[in-house]
Amino acid sequence: QVSLMESGGGLVQAGGSLRLSCAASGSIFNIDAMGWYRQAPGKQRELVATVISGGITNYADSVKGRFTISKDNAKNAVYLQMNSLKPEDTGVYYCLLRLVIRDYWGHGTQVTVSS
């Protein structure tokens, strides 16, 4: 059984910062990647950032230079530092844990950026 615990969402003004955290627990073996996706109202879920087991990161073009993903292998945790937030960053942010056998998703944390 695997579970993901997300935290750090909230309401912030444009230009502000938030830090999201996600910790995985349970029977976790062979992590391929961890990351963050988001879903805005009326839109499909989209990639925000991922980090693979070797440490290589991948970002959506819309967040490059503003967001930074990092991970703590010892804690099976992934973090997303979000700076210079924009109203279009508003949405529910979901943590992803990609194992060899399957993907696991968190329940999501709301991020709202006011203009």
Side-chain angles (χ1 to χ4, degrees):
Q1 196 79 345
V2 174
S3 64
L4 299 175
M5 181 65 71
E6 299 150 323
S7 62
L11 172 64
V12 65
Q13 288 189 331
S17 299
L18 285 173
R19 178 178 168 86
L20 304 184
S21 299
C22 173
S25 60
S27 300
I28 300 170
F29 302 96
N30 299 320
I31 296 177
D32 274 351
M34 295 188 75
W36 295 92
Y37 281 66
R38 69 186 179 191
Q39 187 166 17
K43 295 187 177 181
Q44 290 187 330
R45 191 175 296 190
E46 63 176 5
L47 167 75
V48 177
T50 58
V51 53
I52 67 173
S53 58
I56 297 174
T57 57
N58 181 43
Y59 294 92
D61 287 343
S62 59
V63 307
K64 284 180 180 176
R66 301 188 297 121
F67 291 10
T68 302
I69 190 169
S70 60
K71 65 186 179 75
D72 185 330
N73 292 330
K75 297 180 179 179
N76 290 327
V78 65
Y79 309 96
L80 186 68
Q81 178 65 44
M82 304 186 293
N83 299 328
S84 302
L85 282 160
K86 304 176 180 180
E88 50 264 43
D89 294 318
T90 294
V92 179
Y93 283 67
Y94 296 93
C95 177
L96 165 70
L97 170 66
R98 174 158 293 158
L99 304 182
V100 172
I101 57 173
R102 60 164 285 184
D103 290 348
Y104 292 88
W105 293 92
H107 293 296
T109 184
Q110 178 70 43
V111 170
T112 303
V113 184
S114 63
S115 57

